[in-house]
Amino acid sequence: MKPDTRIVHAGRHPERFDGAVSTPVYRCSTILSDSVADLKARNKAKFDAVSYGRTGTPITMDLEAAVAELEGGARAIATSSGLAAIAGALTALLSAGDHLLVTDSAYFPTRRFCDTVLTRFGVEVEYYDPLIGGDIARLIRPNTRVVFTEAPGSLTFEMQDIPAIAEAAHAAGALVVNDNTWATPLLFRSFEKGVDLSLHAGTKYIVGHSDAMLGLIVCRTAELFERVKTCVGTFGYSLSGDDAFLALRGLRTLSVRLARHQDSALDIARWLQNHTDVARVMFPALPEDPGHAVWKRDFLGCSGLMGVELRPAPVAAMEAMLDALELFGLGYSWGGFESLAIPTSGSIQRTATPWSAAGPTIRLHIGLEDVDDLKADLERGFAAFRAAAA
Ligand SMILES: *Cc1c(COP(=O)(O)O)cnc(C)c1O
């Protein structure tokens, strides 16, 4: 089956639900058993039976099965947010005395979790140059358990050579955990590229409509699933039936939405690249991007999120630009049907490698609106930028 067919059929069981095409919402804490024997059997079946709301219901399980099948992992674990997936996965794999390598381009709340929680529990956290590739071998120690990757990088969009990093990590017995939110299960085939745990802020493209929070941990093997699910379950992380329903509903159209995000984002990225008020577009799908070769080799397409460095001007001019936008909303998150913009100047945190931009920086999410309308909106912003920069 091709991915576009799988996405329609994965995790669906109409025969179990009187023929309903989509799994109905389960709202429950208590699950009643017929007998003590049944209660015991459910407990014994552990992760495969419905026994209590927190541990999973048919709708959260169908979501997990659909995403695992799409990405090609053994099993998946749904959590209440992307950050919970990151925290849960890292906590499951790391103990006091372990060493963790994290890309310097990681999503900021990932860094904050590592620096404030993992360090408090005795994990040694070290950041590395996102462009390190196979040279990561030099940083791997006998106690390195996990190498954390994210491509492209949050806010700065560097590509990482994940297969080379995975080869070095595996040679030393370390696991590779990848934040695959930008590419979704469709555009980066994590497990074919050496990833052991693929994490998603399903809040973004999988939900796709900016109306629910969701995290997913997709596990390469059943053993990893067992280990991570046990820890995540012990912490009490779970997902509500309503949010699982919205996620499954979003998932069915992920492929067609992504195709449109890709076309519009590429069009706008090319247009921005030639704009006199723009110094640089950070988007690996552009042939001029330094990460383009790796992206082309490893990814099956691009989504709609990019970084833009404006020409040198006061930050206030960039803020005037964002304030002038009418179609691009000003807000966090991305991956929904609508276009968004945020300022990123001053938000980019680095400790292993320097990062600088001569001009102010923003992040754009290109939604499903008409591209010409979006360009007109950005032009409105650039006019305000020029007026404020003058
Ligand atoms: C948004 C985001 C997350 C966190 O997801 P939430 O659902 O907001 O907790 C993790 N990683 C990346 C790359 C993100 O953009």
Side-chain angles (χ1 to χ4, degrees):
M1 256 195 282
K2 296 262 178 25
D4 280 356
T5 308
R6 273 189 204 283
I7 207 164
V8 170
H9 291 276
R12 271 182 49 212
H13 304 283
E15 71 287 355
R16 287 194 208 147
F17 310 112
D18 293 314
V21 167
S22 297
T23 307
V25 175
Y26 277 70
R27 289 195 192 92
C28 49
S29 50
T30 299
I31 302 293
L32 298 174
S33 289
D34 288 343
S35 61
V36 174
D38 179 28
L39 195 75
K40 284 182 176 167
R42 286 176 192 262
N43 287 339
K44 198 156 167 247
K46 257 171 109 178
F47 309 131
D48 297 316
V50 178
S51 60
Y52 185 47
R54 192 179 62 217
T55 56
T57 61
I59 185 133
T60 62
M61 290 172 170
D62 284 353
L63 171 65
E64 290 167 339
V67 172
E69 182 181 334
L70 269 184
E71 194 158 6
R75 286 184 78 165
I77 302 158
T79 60
S80 57
S81 73
L83 187 56
I86 293 165
L90 290 175
T91 311
L93 300 182
L94 292 158
S95 302
D98 289 346
H99 176 234
L100 164 69
L101 284 165
V102 181
T103 177
D104 213 17
S105 54
Y107 177 62
F108 176 71
T110 302
R111 288 184 85 103
R112 190 176 49 202
F113 176 76
C114 294
D115 292 343
T116 62
V117 179
L118 291 181
T119 52
R120 190 154 56 82
F121 288 101
V123 174
E124 200 178 339
V125 179
E126 181 179 351
Y127 292 91
Y128 67 87
D129 179 353
L131 305 179
I132 200 165
D135 281 348
I136 192 113
R138 286 188 288 107
L139 300 181
I140 293 178
R141 307 178 196 168
N143 62 336
T144 306
R145 294 283 170 271
V146 174
V147 179
F148 189 97
T149 57
E150 180 180 337
S154 269
L155 308 184
T156 47
F157 297 89
E158 297 94 334
M159 285 307 305
Q160 292 201 264
D161 189 341
I162 294 174
I165 291 172
E167 198 185 327
H170 292 159
L175 294 168
V176 177
V177 178
N178 181 45
D179 185 330
N180 199 21
T181 301
W182 186 88
T184 82
L186 291 180
L187 304 180
F188 181 71
R189 308 288 303 155
S190 305
F191 307 109
E192 292 164 19
K193 305 292 176 194
V195 170
D196 296 294
L197 289 186
S198 175
L199 311 182
H200 297 275
T203 308
K204 313 291 168 53
Y205 285 115
I206 293 176
V207 166
H209 296 72
S210 305
D211 50 9
M213 303 294 298
L214 168 72
L216 287 153
I217 304 169
V218 190
C219 309
R220 185 172 55 79
T221 64
E223 294 70 37
L224 275 168
F225 166 79
E226 179 94 17
R227 189 168 156 200
V228 178
K229 175 77 183 175
T230 301
C231 178
V232 165
T234 302
F235 271 99
Y237 293 163
S238 65
L239 182 71
S240 81
D242 292 278
D243 290 339
F245 179 88
L246 290 171
L248 269 169
R249 174 188 273 224
L251 185 74
R252 302 297 174 206
T253 58
L254 176 64
S255 178
V256 285
R257 285 185 288 109
L258 276 178
R260 173 63 174 265
H261 285 294
Q262 159 159 299
D263 288 352
S264 299
L266 263 172
D267 184 335
I268 288 181
R270 288 203 183 95
W271 175 78
L272 285 170
Q273 224 176 2
N274 296 314
H275 199 285
T276 51
D277 292 322
V278 172
R280 170 163 66 130
V281 180
M282 294 166 260
F283 194 54
L286 286 174
E288 295 76 15
D289 189 278
H292 184 71
V294 171
W295 172 79
K296 211 170 158 188
R297 185 193 68 191
D298 292 346
F299 285 60
L300 300 171
C302 67
S303 59
L305 192 76
M306 67 184 74
V308 182
E309 179 188 338
L310 304 176
R311 69 173 162 85
V315 165
M318 173 268 281
E319 292 174 353
M321 173 191 179
L322 297 185
D323 282 343
L325 298 174
E326 290 172 9
L327 295 178
F328 281 82
L330 198 57
Y332 294 109
S333 198
W334 46 278
F337 52 79
E338 82 289 15
S339 292
L340 293 170
I342 52 162
T344 55
S345 291
S347 307
I348 295 162
Q349 309 262 342
R350 287 297 159 109
T351 50
T353 46
W355 195 89
S356 65
T361 54
I362 61 175
R363 187 185 73 186
L364 295 179
H365 177 249
I366 307 305
L368 304 178
E369 300 93 333
D370 182 274
V371 156
D372 292 332
D373 287 340
L374 292 178
K375 287 179 185 166
D377 198 36
L378 290 167
E379 237 2 308
R380 198 177 358 252
F382 284 125
F385 172 80
R386 285 190 294 273

